[in-house]
Amino acid sequence: MGLLKVGTPLHWKDSLEHCNYVRHHGVLQFIATFRRLRHLENDRLFYGDEIEYSLLKVEKSGKRVFLSLRGPEAMESLRGSEQDIHAFRGCTWHQEYGSWMLEGTPSLPYGGYTMSLASVEQNMRLRRGRLLSALKQDEIAPTLVTFPLMGVSDFVRPAAPPGGEASQSDFVPDACINPHPRFGTLTGNIRRRRGSKVDIRVPLFKDEKTPEFATEEKPMVHMDCMAFGMGCCCLQVTFQASDIDESRFLYDQLAVLAPIMMALTAATPIVKGRLAATDVRWSLISQSVDDRTPAERGEAPGTPDPRLAGNGVRRQSKSRYDSISTYIHPGSKGYSDIPCEIDEEMESLLLKEGIDETMSRHIAHLFTRDPLVIFEGHVELDDDSTTDHFESIQSTNWQTVRWKPPPMKAHACSPHVGWRTEFRSMEVQLTDFENAAFTAFIVIVTRAILVFNLSLLQPLSKVDENMERAHGTDAAQKAKFWFRKHILPEEADDLIQDICPGQTPVTPEQKSCQFEEMTMSEIMSGKSCYFPGLLPLCYAYLEHIGCDEVSFRRLDTYLKFIKERAEGTLMTPAAWMRNFVRTHPDYKKDSVVSESIAFDLVHACNDIGLGKRDCPEILGEVFIDPITPEGQYETPLYGERMGPEERRGLLNKII
Ligand code: ADP
Ligand code: MG
Ligand code: MG
Ligand code: MG
Ligand code: MG
Ligand code: MG
């Protein structure tokens, strides 16, 4: 999230009369940007990750753990100290939806050399170290997707009763919402547009004595506000493309990988104090910000309201937080085979202004949504010099990938930013080793796709099917995912021979059945000889560019780790946490994550992240070098990992 506008947001009933204006001018602002910057070319690869953290407060005596609503305070202090530290590379801290959350990014994006890939983990560790220094004695900040006791009785500090004007939740106090006026308004306006509180249902995990299963066939965990969803923490990676065409191409390719990488990073087995029958966060968030009217959801006829997008009655097949509904590269024709509602008026405006069909469709799809936060006195703007209305719609279309046009320069000397694509589906991992491994992997995969001229494209209906499968427990081990069999270009025989010696060329008949169901391991490591697998392609890329030895050693550790997780030799964080709960002495086989279990779990997760507790089930033979406040014992940028002796020595010093 960039800088937030400061001002007074309009209440829903006052913003209604401006919705059409904002949408119309948002599109005009996009057109102006597109025209001005479509010819940018030869931009360098830059990329950056985003990691979200949860601030927790622990009460050792009673073995209790709470959300600590000190996010904004901690952020102020972190921002202050960042200014005092003149490191070669620092971190930037951003606000997040929850007042217990923080988002950290590198202060500058990483550059496009493989050496930079080694600095990703270094920067993540620095962030974790700096965050440690901003914590109070009784606080911890693990990287968990969900807080296990979210919405369970008395779970925040300072204590507050549930509900409030914005969410009207029966479980979660509005004090959990970041105090910046944007967030409360978002929450309230989603509810108001929808006409009722959001209604989130996540299937409950069936254990031997889960009581609900005695009376119900498919019991659900019920949640009723945005914080349950937008309070989930994730790992995102943004890439700068060399030009607009490449950014559109990568968007499509990454959209295919979104469900795969979500399943592989699964880390959400617990919601609202219960074990869920799912392992990832997506559907929960999707439901938590679903602002569609009953008519748009297809549940009841509605009365058209001309002030709303689509008069508030146009059927919308998805929530505004969902997988993408259309590819955006011109070469994807024929693959966008699912419903993609568009605003016809906006589409004809875009086409009339010379925007190509595929792009017009994407923008006209985003603009079927209404603006949720309009600031007072900030409606009529100069469409050539601001993109605020465009961003207002764009930033509240939370899809698996986001195509980011260059922002308006704040000053003449602001750094140049090109066309970017953001990968948004991965779940945050317990350790920076894992977070860095997945970041590096996705970077290398995109490079391999570009250099070897690969295409992962498959029909969006299959991508959505994968999205659903990715939710299942242990999907990385148990599920099969649709994947394209022939991802190499026709002329890539050399490469195929390199990776898969002795392979016979593919016949046209074989090519005609292009997609098949593969296991995670097959997708990553290859299947018979027609599909080389993503990891061998990563290695081929590293060899192709002549990756230096030191970087290679580190990247090799990442790729091996991913291979083992895909094979099921290593557990996903979701599988590990579920197992932790089910084998805890206090567990009653009833799918309940009690206070004492939650207490032990968050500590274990925190200790794993800090390198104080080994976790071979998730990490195999990788050990996390201990994290220290401010990162003062940090090994040099390109240093090797610590040996066991060195690690023990450091642990003794800091514990
Ligand atoms: P948002 O929250 O809108 O996704 P952020 O401002 O949090 O965006 O930044 C997302 C990531 O993009 C950060 O890791 C940042 O370092 C990175 N980034 C910044 N500039 C560029 C750029 N020119 N190219 C690629 N990534 C960039
Ligand atoms: Mg961000
Ligand atoms: Mg964001
Ligand atoms: Mg964020
Ligand atoms: Mg982001
Ligand atoms: Mg969509």
Side-chain angles (χ1 to χ4, degrees), residues 1 50 96 103 236:
M1 179 136 347
E50 300 164 71
E96 256 308 325
E103 181 188 287
Q236 299 174 335

mmCIF file of all heavy atoms in Angstrom, residues 1 50 96 103 236, ligand 3:
data_model
loop_
_atom_site.group_PDB
_atom_site.id
_atom_site.type_symbol
_atom_site.label_atom_id
_atom_site.label_comp_id
_atom_site.label_asym_id
_atom_site.label_seq_id
_atom_site.Cartn_x
_atom_site.Cartn_y
_atom_site.Cartn_z
ATOM 1 N N MET A 1 0.845 -1.194 0.000
ATOM 2 C CA MET A 1 0.000 0.000 0.000
ATOM 3 C C MET A 1 0.875 1.235 0.000
ATOM 4 O O MET A 1 1.800 1.333 0.783
ATOM 5 C CB MET A 1 -0.845 -0.058 1.267
ATOM 6 C CG MET A 1 -1.742 1.094 1.425
ATOM 7 S SD MET A 1 -3.374 0.630 1.937
ATOM 8 C CE MET A 1 -3.471 -1.130 1.724
ATOM 9 N N GLU A 50 6.676 -7.973 -0.106
ATOM 10 C CA GLU A 50 5.967 -7.376 1.025
ATOM 11 C C GLU A 50 5.660 -8.489 2.002
ATOM 12 O O GLU A 50 5.164 -9.542 1.593
ATOM 13 C CB GLU A 50 4.637 -6.748 0.581
ATOM 14 C CG GLU A 50 4.789 -5.643 -0.443
ATOM 15 C CD GLU A 50 3.457 -5.331 -1.128
ATOM 16 O OE1 GLU A 50 2.556 -4.762 -0.492
ATOM 17 O OE2 GLU A 50 3.329 -5.678 -2.315
ATOM 18 N N GLU A 96 -1.344 -1.417 7.707
ATOM 19 C CA GLU A 96 -2.176 -2.473 7.159
ATOM 20 C C GLU A 96 -3.573 -2.359 7.746
ATOM 21 O O GLU A 96 -3.815 -1.555 8.633
ATOM 22 C CB GLU A 96 -1.557 -3.841 7.481
ATOM 23 C CG GLU A 96 -0.873 -4.490 6.291
ATOM 24 C CD GLU A 96 -1.769 -4.568 5.055
ATOM 25 O OE1 GLU A 96 -2.999 -4.757 5.211
ATOM 26 O OE2 GLU A 96 -1.252 -4.438 3.939
ATOM 27 N N GLU A 103 3.166 -3.896 7.763
ATOM 28 C CA GLU A 103 3.739 -4.456 6.539
ATOM 29 C C GLU A 103 5.143 -3.902 6.369
ATOM 30 O O GLU A 103 5.364 -2.705 6.521
ATOM 31 C CB GLU A 103 2.873 -4.062 5.334
ATOM 32 C CG GLU A 103 3.399 -4.644 4.030
ATOM 33 C CD GLU A 103 2.661 -4.112 2.811
ATOM 34 O OE1 GLU A 103 1.508 -4.507 2.604
ATOM 35 O OE2 GLU A 103 3.252 -3.281 2.084
ATOM 36 N N GLN A 236 3.764 -10.968 -0.791
ATOM 37 C CA GLN A 236 3.527 -10.527 -2.170
ATOM 38 C C GLN A 236 4.848 -10.143 -2.822
ATOM 39 O O GLN A 236 5.784 -9.740 -2.141
ATOM 40 C CB GLN A 236 2.591 -9.310 -2.188
ATOM 41 C CG GLN A 236 1.228 -9.594 -1.588
ATOM 42 C CD GLN A 236 0.355 -8.347 -1.473
ATOM 43 O OE1 GLN A 236 0.847 -7.228 -1.393
ATOM 44 N NE2 GLN A 236 -0.952 -8.553 -1.439
HETATM 45 MG MG MG B 3 -1.339 -3.453 -0.271
#
